[in-house]
């Protein structure tokens, strides 16, 4: 009786060791790679800023409800694919910097009505989208990257954005 129990214990231990060995050596190990989270904070690269900006334009910012990616007949808002180049031209015409124009177009869209379009865009920092300052900078960097060299960065561009918001009363 006693030796029977002992045998049983040895068999159980043996099987456990055997399966542990199989598990370690033969089964693929599933490693977990959590997605790299990028935050809009000091030191963020322009590339990361543009990636976040693109996500906002296609998501939370709801920009694609009105703006098409590429120019098409009957579009209700300017095409995003060339918006960096287009806004740079408009900025030049108005004699202001590209950064200032982009921020103004987001914060106070009624002030610059692109030719051939209606005044239907609402300020991006107000409901329903309520984009934060960091998000506005990311969006502006993405827009600038559509056809132009990106000069917008975080937090360097914060002062220009704040100036623009102050001028419009931020309201
Ligand atoms: C309700 C529709 C609508 C939504 C939503 C919208 N826009 Fe617009 N947007 C327009 C229209 C129409 C114009 C052209 C008239 C004008 O300049 O206000 C415009 C103009 C612009 C301009 C200026 C273009 C120029 O050449 O001067 C920028 C930049 C812009 N939008 C970016 C955005 C971004 C970024 C978002 C999302 C955060 C967004 N828009 C959401 C309709 C919209």
């Amino acid at each position: 009786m006693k030796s029977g129990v002992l045998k049983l214990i040895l068999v159980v231990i043996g099987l456990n060791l055997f399966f542990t060995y199989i598990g370690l050596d033969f089964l693929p190990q599933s490693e977990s790679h959590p997605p790299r989270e990028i935050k809009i904070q000091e030191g963020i690269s322009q590339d990361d800023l543009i990636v976040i900006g693109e996500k906002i334009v296609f998501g939370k910012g709801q920009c694609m409800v009105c703006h098409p990616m590429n120019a098409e007949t009957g579009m209700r808002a300017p095409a995003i694919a060339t918006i960096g180049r287009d806004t740079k031209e408009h900025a030049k015409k108005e004699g202001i910097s590209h950064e200032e124009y982009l921020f103004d177009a987001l914060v106070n869209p009624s002030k610059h009505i692109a030719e051939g379009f209606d005044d239907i865009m609402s300020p991006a920092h107000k409901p329903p989208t309520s984009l934060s300052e960091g998000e506005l900078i990311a969006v502006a960097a993405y827009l600038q990257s559509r056809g132009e060299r990106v000069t917008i960065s975080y937090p360097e561009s914060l002062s220009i954005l704040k100036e623009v918001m102050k001028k419009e009363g931020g309201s």
Side-chain angles (χ1 to χ4, degrees):
M1 180 62 196
K2 241 187 178 173
S3 75
V5 171
L6 197 67
K7 251 190 216 160
L8 189 65
I9 289 173
L10 284 175
V11 167
V12 167
I13 291 174
L15 277 174
N16 265 308
L17 286 174
F18 177 64
F19 282 114
T20 303
Y21 169 69
I22 289 189
L24 288 178
D25 268 25
F26 298 102
L27 299 179
Q29 301 295 304
S30 59
E31 288 170 50
S32 65
H33 293 288
R36 191 170 66 102
E37 199 196 334
I38 19 179
K39 286 203 188 109
I40 306 171
Q41 58 192 9
E42 191 156 355
I44 185 173
S45 72
Q46 274 180 323
D47 285 347
D48 283 346
L49 202 58
I50 292 167
V51 167
I52 293 181
E54 180 172 28
K55 267 195 206 133
I56 297 168
V57 165
F58 282 87
K60 184 181 174 186
Q62 300 176 22
C63 318
M64 306 313 278
V65 170
C66 300
H67 290 267
M69 190 59 195
N70 296 300
E72 52 192 50
T73 47
M75 58 186 182
R76 3 176 357 211
I80 295 294
T82 52
I83 206 157
R85 200 182 61 210
D86 296 342
T87 49
K88 178 148 193 191
E89 259 167 41
H90 298 159
K92 221 186 244 169
K93 248 187 238 165
E94 294 192 19
I96 59 177
S97 73
H98 194 194
E99 290 93 332
E100 186 181 344
Y101 186 93
L102 280 169
F103 289 141
D104 217 17
L106 294 175
V107 169
N108 194 33
S110 298
K111 213 175 112 194
H112 317 262
I113 306 301
E115 221 179 297
F117 295 101
D118 296 327
D119 182 12
I120 55 169
M121 179 172 158
S122 39
H125 63 309
K126 299 235 186 93
T129 51
S130 307
L131 300 186
S132 68
E133 290 178 348
E135 289 171 330
L136 289 170
I137 289 176
V139 165
Y142 168 71
L143 296 177
Q144 201 177 28
S145 77
R146 302 301 90 189
E148 282 297 327
R149 196 173 64 84
V150 180
T151 56
I152 290 172
S153 63
Y154 188 89
E156 290 75 12
S157 301
L158 211 46
S159 55
I160 306 170
L161 173 61
K162 285 206 158 105
E163 206 53 48
V164 167
M165 290 177 111
K166 207 162 49 185
K167 240 191 277 172
E168 314 310 339
S171 56

